[in-house]
Amino acid sequence: MKLASLKSGRDGQLIVVSKDLGRAVSAAKVATTLQQALDDWHNIEAALCSLYEQLNKGVLTESFAFNPSQCAAPLPRAYHWVDGSAYVSHVELVRKARGAELPESFWHDPLVYMGASDAFIGPCDDIEVACEEWGIDFEAEVVVVTDDVPAGTSREAAKGHIKLLGLVNDVSLRNLIAGELAKQFGFYQSKPWTSFSPVLVTPDELGEAWDGCKLSLPLRATLNGRLIGAPNAGVDMTFDFPTLIEHCAKTRSLMTGTVIGSGTVSNVGSKEGSCCLAELRCLETIAQGKPSTPFMSFGDRIEIEMLDAAGESIFGKIDQRVVQSIL
């Protein structure tokens, strides 16, 4: 099943989207928003699945053409957004570029932080930034959405709490990060709003690519028509999603609608390219002594997408431009 939210108020209007992303139908008779659906998922899932089946059969006269540009984030705002750094090889590479060693603990103790979830942005919304000198970067990631996860949930039990998957562009302002981390209190100014793929999907949509822990397909990041990378999200993922959920729920429960990100998808050596410019610049620094690729500029276009084995888009495409905002 594929779900999206049309722009409407702060929480969107829930719609069901066809498998080929061509058609959609309102889910208002079942649930008006995705959060409402998630809150009563046990009772509502079957009705949404029925709509999805009918939509794919082409028997719903009230269906309409699906237009990602009319979409908000599937969850326009969430109670909890936690981003991880599941690809430790990415962290190792960044540290190597600046001559720093990776602490051994990073390989067995996941890195996560809580991000801004009061407003997510849609797949075609502009990336608004006031200053290019802040070092504008994209980060292509996979995310999962959970139901209620009790505190102390084990990794094995965590698998059953994953209800939806999608993609995000976790925009970073790289030149602000160092100053914030130096305060030893985490990200804030360096992490503006996060954008989402047009749809979130239930795990069964992913077939053999999803093993309950990892999504093993390439994640494509294209900047101004140039493919920056397509690393496989299931390769070199040090901490899979159940492990991240177990880690996040160690001392407190997670509420329904919690969104957990993988962090920038990265493969060792980045032979398949990179899912952020920071990694590309690190590789250039290691090879040439300095980076040659600039961060993003106003007018740049970033596209993020994942295709199935048949070459069809699973989640739809994140397709954004960077524009200057006015402070």
Side-chain angles (χ1 to χ4, degrees), residues 5-64:
S5 293
L6 295 179
K7 293 181 177 180
S8 178
R10 292 196 174 192
D11 294 302
Q13 176 189 337
L14 181 62
I15 59 174
V16 178
V17 182
S18 62
K19 189 176 186 65
D20 65 2
L21 302 176
R23 305 289 293 177
V25 65
S26 172
K29 293 181 179 179
V30 181
T32 56
T33 69
L34 181 53
Q35 184 62 52
Q36 180 187 357
L38 288 166
D39 283 336
D40 197 21
W41 192 254
H42 179 73
N43 295 313
I44 285 178
E45 182 183 12
L48 290 174
C49 285
S50 178
L51 267 179
Y52 184 60
E53 291 172 3
Q54 294 176 68
L55 180 63
N56 286 322
K57 291 177 181 177
V59 299
L60 295 177
T61 57
E62 65 270 33
S63 71
F64 53 89

Side-chain angles (χ1 to χ4, degrees), residues 268-307:
V268 173
S270 299
K271 296 178 182 178
E272 302 301 328
S274 303
C275 273
C276 69
L277 294 177
E279 181 170 286
L280 180 60
R281 287 165 58 89
C282 286
L283 290 168
E284 292 169 347
T285 298
I286 293 169
Q288 306 161 13
K290 63 179 181 179
S292 55
T293 299
F295 287 120
M296 297 171 75
S297 301
F298 299 138
D300 282 355
R301 179 186 183 187
I302 177 64
E303 300 168 85
I304 296 170
E305 189 173 26
M306 181 174 279
L307 308 180

Side-chain angles (χ1 to χ4, degrees), residues 144 162 165 203-204 206-216 241-242:
V144 298
I162 297 172
L165 292 95
D204 58 287
L206 302 168
E208 295 181 356
W210 172 251
D211 64 0
C213 302
K214 301 176 182 180
L215 179 52
S216 296
F241 283 109

Side-chain angles (χ1 to χ4, degrees), residues 81-84 86-87 139-145 162 164-170 196-197 200-201 206 209-210 213-220 231-234 237 239 241 244 259-266 275 304-306 315 318:
W81 157 231
V82 54
D83 201 14
Y87 301 86
E139 289 191 59
E141 307 182 15
V142 178
V143 296
V144 298
V145 181
I162 297 172
L164 298 167
L165 292 95
L167 308 177
V168 300
N169 178 14
D170 180 43
F196 278 67
S197 53
L200 297 178
V201 311
L206 302 168
W210 172 251
C213 302
K214 301 176 182 180
L215 179 52
S216 296
L217 287 169
L219 181 55
R220 298 173 60 86
N232 191 305
M237 190 181 193
F239 304 111
F241 283 109
L244 292 176
V259 184
I260 298 179
S262 65
T264 305
V265 173
S266 177
C275 273
I304 296 170
E305 189 173 26
M306 181 174 279
F315 307 98
I318 296 173

Side-chain angles (χ1 to χ4, degrees), residues 225-248:
R226 172 196 173 194
L227 182 65
I228 301 298
N232 191 305
V235 175
D236 300 321
M237 190 181 193
T238 310
F239 304 111
D240 60 26
F241 283 109
T243 300
L244 292 176
I245 293 170
E246 177 187 45
H247 179 81
C248 293

Side-chain angles (χ1 to χ4, degrees), residues 186-210:
F187 303 113
Y188 193 85
Q189 293 176 338
S190 53
K191 289 288 185 178
W193 285 338
T194 301
S195 54
F196 278 67
S197 53
V199 304
L200 297 178
V201 311
T202 48
D204 58 287
E205 285 291 320
L206 302 168
E208 295 181 356
W210 172 251

